[in-house]
Amino acid sequence: MSFYPQVKQFFLGKSLPTSAHSEERLSNAAALAVLSSDALSSVAYATEEILLVLVAAGSGALGLSLPISIAIIALLGIVVLSYRQTIRAYPLGGGSYIVARENLGLYPGLVAGGSLMIDYILTVTVSISAGTAALTSAIPSLQSHTVILCLMFIFLLMLANLRGVKESGKIFMVPTYAFIASIFVLIGMGLFKQATGQVSAQYPPIPVTEGLSLFFILRAFSAGCTALTGVEAISDGVLAFKAPEWKNARLTLLYLGVILGLMFVGITYLVNIYHIIPEAEQTVVSQLGRQILGTGPVYYFVQIVTLLVLMLAANTSYADFPRLCYFLARDGFLPRQLSLLGDRLVYSNGIVLLSVCAGILVIIFKGQVNAVIPLYAVGVFTSFTLSQAGMVRHWFQEHNGNWRASAIMNGLGAIATFVVLLVIISTKFILGAWLVVVAIPVVVSLFSAIHRHYEYVAQRLSIEGIAPRSYIPRPKPAVITHPAVVVVGQLNRGTVEALDYARTIADEIVAVHVDMGATDRDKLQEKWQSLESDIVLEIIDSPYRSVIDPIVDFVSQFEERHPEVFTTIIIPAFVTRNWWDSILHNQTTLFLKSSLRAKKSRVVTTVRYYL
C-alpha cells in the first residue's frame, strides 16, 4: 500500500461497498442534527440581524423586534406545512430543482437549482463566520485570526463529511442537542430572573439616525428571514432517512418547526426584556448569556455549543449541496464527476467543491457575518417560491386524495415566499443582494453551456447508423502471439474504432467493462452482440465503485495466462475540441495508464477519437 492510500484511510476510514448504502441512513434524531442544524442555529444571529436594522431608529424601535419575529414564525409555519406536502408528493426526495423542473419546466428548475447552490455556499460562509464570531466574543484576542480560524473550521467540516453520512450524524448529534438544551436553559433562566425582578429597567441612550417607515420595518423583517434558511433541507434529503423515509422526514420537519419557533421567539423576547442592543465586539446571545448566567462555566458552555452548532449549521449544506450537484450532474448540467459516489458512499467531489467555494468567500469577506448577510436568503427564497409554485401545479395535475387542501397550502406558501423574496431583494439590493440577483442567471447560463457540450459529445459519439462490423472469421491460432485487452467504458464510436484497431494487431481480443452498479447489462450485451459479436465482452463488478483497480486486476490475470508474449492494453479516449472542455470529463484514461504502468504492464496504447 502506497503512502497516499494509507493517509486517506487514516483520515476518512476504509472504503465502503455499495451494498452498505442502506446502512448509511439516519434516524430521526440524527437527521435533525445533520439536516436541520442550519435552521436551528439561526437563532444565534437572526434576532441580532433584526436589531442591527432597528437600532438606527433609536431605542424606541427595538421593541418592534418581537412582532417582527412573530411574523417570521408565522411564515416559518407556512413554509414547514408547505414542505410537508412536498415530501408527501415526492417520497423519494423532492428538492426545489426536481419539483420546479418537473412541474414548471427546464429553466425554472435550473433557476431553483442555481439559487439553492448559491444559498448553500453562502450558508457555509455565514455559519462558519458566525461560529467564529461566537468564539472571538468569548476570547477577544482571537479576533485578528478570524479568517484563518474560519478556513480551519471549513477544512474540519469537510473532513468529517468525507467520512460518510452515518459518521457525520454521530459526530453532530451531541453539539446540536446540547445547543438546543442550552438555549432553552437560557430562556428558562431569563424568564425566572424577569419574574423575580432582576432585569435592567431601560435601554441606554441610542442616537436616532433613521426614521421609522414601512420600508424600514420591511428591511428589519427581511434581515430576520435568515431564520428560515435551511428549512427546505429535509425535503431535499428524504433518502437520508431510515424507512419509511417520507414519513420520518415529515415528522422531523414538524419537530424542526416547533423547536425553531420556540427558540427564536424566546431569544427575541429576552432581548426586549433585558434591553440588549447589538455590539460590534460581542454577539447578542453572548450579551444575554452574560446578563442571565454571569461569566461562569455555564456561560462559556453556551458560547462553546453555540460555536459548535454554528459550525454544524454549515453541515446542512454539506448534506444537501453534494446531493443537489448529483441531480444536476446526472441531468448533464454540471460536470459528471459530481455524480460519482466516493469511497465512503458520499458525493466527495461535491463536498470538496462546496468547501473551496465557501473558503474563497470567507477570504473575500474577511469572515465578517454582517458583510455576507445581505447576500443571504435571496437564493433560498427564490427556490422556496419556485418549489411551492411547482407543487401547486403538481396537485392540479395529479388530483390525488385531498389535493385541493394541499394545493391551497402550497399556493399560500408560494405567495408568502414570493412576497418575502421581493421584500428581501428591494431592501437588500444596494447592500449586496444585487450580486446574487446577477449570479443566478450567470450560473443558469453555465448550466446550459455544460449541457450543450454534453449533448454535442453524445451526438458525435453516437453509434446510431453504424453497421455491424463485417469480418472474415479466422481460425484460432495454435499459439497466441499478440493478445489484446480493450477497455470499454461505453459502446460508442471511440470504442468501435479502438476495437477495429485491435483486430488489425491482435490474434486474441477480449473487451472488458466495469459495472459500478449502474450498468444495464442486458442492454449493453444486446448492443454488443449486434455490433461487435466476434469479440468477447467481459463485464466485471466493482463493489467499491472503482474503475481502475478491477481493470488492473483483470489485466494482471490476463497477462499471467499469456506469460511469454506482450499483451497490448488498448484504451479508447475521445479528444475534446478545446482543452478546457476536458474539465467536464473524468480523467480515467490518465489514471488507468498510470496504474497499469505502475503494475509493469508493458504495452499500453491509447486510441484517440477526435470530436
Side-chain angles (χ1 to χ4, degrees):
M1 188 184 286
S2 63
F3 178 70
Y4 171 71
Q6 285 180 321
V7 173
K8 184 178 178 183
Q9 184 171 310
F10 174 77
F11 283 108
L12 305 184
K14 292 182 179 180
S15 296
L16 295 173
T18 307
S19 58
H21 210 166
S22 60
E23 299 169 17
E24 291 288 299
R25 299 295 185 93
L26 298 171
S27 65
N28 290 4
L32 188 67
V34 172
L35 298 175
S36 305
S37 49
D38 175 19
L40 292 172
S41 68
S42 63
V43 300
Y45 55 82
T47 300
E48 183 168 355
E49 291 305 316
I50 296 172
L51 295 178
L52 283 168
V53 176
L54 294 178
V55 74
S59 57
L62 294 178
L64 291 172
S65 60
L66 190 57
I68 287 172
S69 67
I70 291 171
I72 291 170
I73 289 169
L75 178 62
L76 169 66
I78 293 170
V79 171
V80 166
L81 293 174
S82 298
Y83 271 105
R84 277 171 57 85
Q85 306 305 317
T86 303
I87 292 170
R88 180 163 68 88
Y90 287 85
L92 298 179
S96 299
Y97 164 67
I98 293 174
V99 174
R101 186 178 178 187
E102 285 190 7
N103 297 289
L104 300 178
L106 175 61
Y107 282 101
L110 293 180
V111 169
S115 302
L116 213 48
M117 278 185 68
I118 292 169
D119 187 74
Y120 283 143
I121 294 168
L122 289 170
T123 294
V124 176
T125 309
V126 169
S127 300
I128 294 293
S129 300
T132 305
L135 178 63
T136 55
S137 293
I139 311 173
S141 59
L142 293 176
Q143 284 184 357
S144 59
H145 305 292
T146 296
V147 173
I148 293 172
L149 287 169
C150 287
L151 295 176
M152 183 180 72
F153 291 138
I154 289 173
F155 177 77
L156 292 174
L157 261 181
M158 179 184 77
L159 212 58
N161 278 276
L162 288 173
R163 290 188 65 88
V165 173
K166 195 174 180 180
E167 289 273 348
S168 63
K170 290 176 182 176
I171 294 169
F172 300 151
M173 275 183 72
V174 173
T176 300
Y177 286 105
F179 171 75
I180 293 171
S182 69
I183 291 296
F184 279 118
V185 167
L186 181 65
I187 292 169
M189 290 288 292
L191 293 175
F192 174 77
K193 283 199 167 187
Q194 180 203 5
T196 54
Q198 304 177 52
V199 295
S200 57
Q202 58 184 6
Y203 287 106
I206 302 172
V208 177
T209 59
E210 194 169 344
L212 272 177
S213 64
L214 177 61
F215 184 79
F216 181 80
I217 294 170
L218 288 175
R219 233 174 73 205
F221 174 80
S222 69
C225 282
T226 53
L228 272 69
T229 56
V231 172
E232 82 292 339
I234 290 175
S235 72
D236 290 341
V238 173
L239 290 180
F241 286 82
K242 290 183 176 179
E245 295 87 350
W246 71 275
K247 289 184 179 178
N248 287 327
R250 276 169 59 93
L251 187 60
T252 305
L253 182 58
L254 190 61
Y255 291 154
L256 164 63
V258 172
I259 295 169
L260 174 57
L262 290 174
M263 290 198 301
F264 185 39
V265 75
I267 290 293
T268 309
Y269 178 74
L270 289 182
V271 163
N272 277 269
I273 294 303
Y274 284 82
H275 301 98
I276 301 292
I277 59 172
E279 297 177 2
E281 297 81 16
Q282 191 176 188
T283 64
V284 162
V285 172
S286 175
Q287 291 183 65
L288 267 180
R290 287 183 190 273
Q291 283 205 32
I292 296 169
L293 306 171
T295 54
V298 180
Y299 162 76
Y300 283 100
F301 176 78
V302 172
Q303 287 303 104
I304 289 168
V305 294
T306 301
L307 159 68
L308 291 175
V309 85
L310 283 164
M311 299 302 169
L312 303 188
N315 196 66
T316 298
S317 293
Y318 276 100
D320 277 353
F321 180 90
R323 194 175 288 112
L324 173 62
C325 288
Y326 159 75
F327 287 124
L328 286 162
R330 180 198 64 183
D331 295 342
F333 295 103
L334 279 177
R336 300 283 193 206
Q337 297 94 313
L338 293 168
S339 67
L340 303 177
L341 279 173
D343 291 344
R344 299 287 296 179
L345 296 174
V346 290
Y347 298 108
S348 307
N349 293 327
I351 290 171
V352 173
L353 175 63
L354 175 60
S355 303
V356 170
C357 292
I360 291 170
L361 287 183
V362 162
I363 293 169
I364 291 173
F365 292 101
K366 300 179 181 178
Q368 299 301 312
V369 181
N370 297 336
V372 188
I373 284 288
L375 283 67
Y376 206 30
V378 174
V380 75
F381 275 94
T382 300
S383 63
F384 277 174
T385 303
L386 290 170
S387 174
Q388 297 311 306
M391 285 305 303
V392 173
R393 187 170 185 192
H394 169 84
W395 294 122
F396 274 96
Q397 289 175 331
E398 295 294 323
H399 289 193
N400 290 335
N402 194 17
W403 68 272
R404 286 188 176 85
S406 298
I408 290 169
M409 191 70 255
N410 286 125
L412 183 60
I415 293 168
T417 53
F418 180 65
V419 170
V420 173
L421 174 63
L422 294 179
V423 169
I424 290 171
I425 291 174
S426 61
T427 56
K428 293 185 176 182
F429 190 82
I430 299 174
L431 299 173
W434 67 270
L435 283 169
V436 180
V437 174
V438 170
I440 290 172
V442 170
V443 170
V444 171
S445 300
L446 181 63
F447 290 160
S448 299
I450 291 171
H451 192 65
R452 282 195 302 272
H453 171 77
Y454 282 133
E455 285 187 325
Y456 169 77
V457 170
Q459 180 188 357
R460 295 288 290 119
L461 292 176
S462 172
I463 58 172
E464 188 176 347
I466 295 182
R469 313 320 276 169
S470 58
Y471 64 96
I472 300 172
R474 293 178 295 178
K476 187 174 181 179
V479 179
I480 302 297
T481 59
H482 201 152
V485 176
V486 181
V487 178
V488 176
Q490 295 176 331
L491 185 52
N492 55 41
R493 286 181 181 270
T495 307
V496 169
E497 289 198 359
L499 291 165
D500 288 344
Y501 170 71
R503 289 189 183 93
T504 65
I505 65 165
D507 49 16
E508 181 184 355
I509 306 169
V510 62
V512 59
H513 170 82
V514 177
D515 179 7
M516 294 190 291
T519 300
D520 186 335
R521 295 189 176 210
D522 293 337
K523 188 176 180 181
L524 177 58
Q525 286 287 11
E526 183 184 344
K527 284 185 177 180
W528 189 268
Q529 291 305 317
S530 67
L531 202 63
E532 307 284 355
S533 58
D534 61 314
I535 296 174
V536 175
L537 173 65
E538 296 273 358
I539 300 178
I540 53 179
D541 290 313
S542 179
Y544 291 90
R545 302 163 307 286
S546 168
V547 175
I548 309 298
D549 292 341
I551 290 177
V552 170
D553 293 341
F554 180 89
V555 168
S556 297
Q557 294 168 15
F558 188 85
E559 288 182 326
E560 286 174 7
R561 298 199 300 269
H562 303 80
E564 302 299 329
V565 296
F566 290 101
T567 297
T568 300
I569 297 93
I570 300 171
I571 305 173
F574 60 83
V575 181
T576 55
R577 288 183 298 180
N578 306 301
W579 65 265
W580 56 83
D581 292 334
S582 61
I583 298 170
L584 301 176
H585 300 277
N586 296 325
Q587 306 302 314
T588 307
T589 301
L590 182 65
F591 295 124
L592 181 56
K593 286 167 70 175
S594 176
S595 297
L596 289 168
R597 285 170 183 148
K599 289 289 184 180
K600 297 184 169 55
S601 295
R602 288 176 287 183
V603 183
V604 181
T605 299
T606 303
V607 177
R608 293 181 175 86
Y609 181 82
Y610 290 88
L611 298 178

